[in-house]
Amino acid sequence: MKWIKDHLIISFIISLVVVVSIIVVIVVVANNKPEIKEENFAIKTDGYYVYKGSDVWYQITFKDDSKFLFEPWFCPKSACGGGGDESGTYKINGKEININIPAHYTDGDPEIDNIEFIPEKNYKITIINDRQISLADKIYNWQKNDMFDEYEE
């Protein structure tokens, strides 16, 4: 009888050691998840990113000092000029570019133009690759020189 009692105690101890070992392995594995590195992707700070719609072209320029410029051009392939330029700052976070355009007033002569208050705006731009970005489901292609040139290949 003593032999059975000793055998049960030993079996219980071995089972307890196995269960504790399994719990320790699970805890160690759960706490050692591979760290996902937040990677910054490159954008070009020379040239322009341009979306060429049929009636308006849009130009986005990024500068080395984290400045951002958005310019719509209302007369594609002509020199009538742009309007509604917006500038602000950008910060790259992985494949996302966070844009902040602070609150401002529209340009113009208060005696002639209606000066408007424009509230702060924030946008998210997605980096597709080093030559393309996406804003509001529109793909902007990079080109080095004059935005009125055809897209460079």
Side-chain angles (χ1 to χ4, degrees):
M1 211 52 179
K2 181 168 174 17
W3 178 84
I4 293 176
K5 185 179 175 188
D6 290 342
H7 183 68
L8 286 174
I9 291 173
I10 292 172
S11 295
F12 176 74
I13 292 173
I14 291 173
S15 298
L16 190 60
V17 168
V18 168
V19 168
V20 169
S21 298
I22 290 172
I23 291 172
V24 168
V25 167
I26 290 172
V27 168
V28 167
V29 168
N31 287 331
N32 285 329
K33 294 178 192 170
E35 205 172 297
I36 298 172
K37 247 169 64 170
E38 196 60 36
E39 187 175 338
N40 281 337
F41 291 83
I43 56 168
K44 295 186 182 288
T45 56
D46 62 332
Y48 316 94
Y49 288 89
V50 181
Y51 170 75
K52 295 183 178 183
S54 60
D55 57 343
V56 180
W57 288 358
Y58 299 93
Q59 171 183 314
I60 294 175
T61 308
F62 298 100
K63 299 295 181 187
D64 286 328
D65 60 357
S66 297
K67 300 285 189 223
F68 160 86
L69 180 64
F70 178 80
E71 300 174 272
W73 294 89
F74 297 108
C75 303
K77 295 192 176 188
S78 71
C80 75
D85 299 356
E86 295 184 303
S87 61
T89 58
Y90 70 92
K91 183 177 180 187
I92 300 174
N93 185 14
K95 285 193 116 173
E96 297 291 321
I97 305 171
N98 298 310
I99 302 295
N100 176 265
I101 299 170
H104 60 282
Y105 288 92
T106 55
D107 292 332
D109 182 347
E111 307 242 345
I112 301 170
D113 301 319
N114 289 330
I115 304 297
E116 281 184 66
F117 177 75
I118 308 294
E120 177 182 35
K121 296 180 185 177
N122 292 291
Y123 299 104
K124 285 200 185 294
I125 295 175
T126 302
I127 300 171
I128 298 170
N129 57 46
D130 68 336
R131 297 180 67 84
Q132 292 182 315
I133 59 174
S134 172
L135 171 62
D137 297 327
K138 291 179 175 65
I139 305 296
Y140 288 69
N141 293 298
W142 177 82
Q143 56 189 73
K144 184 171 178 86
N145 297 313
D146 187 357
M147 76 166 280
F148 296 107
D149 293 343
E150 293 303 315
Y151 292 129
E152 294 179 6
E153 295 299 325

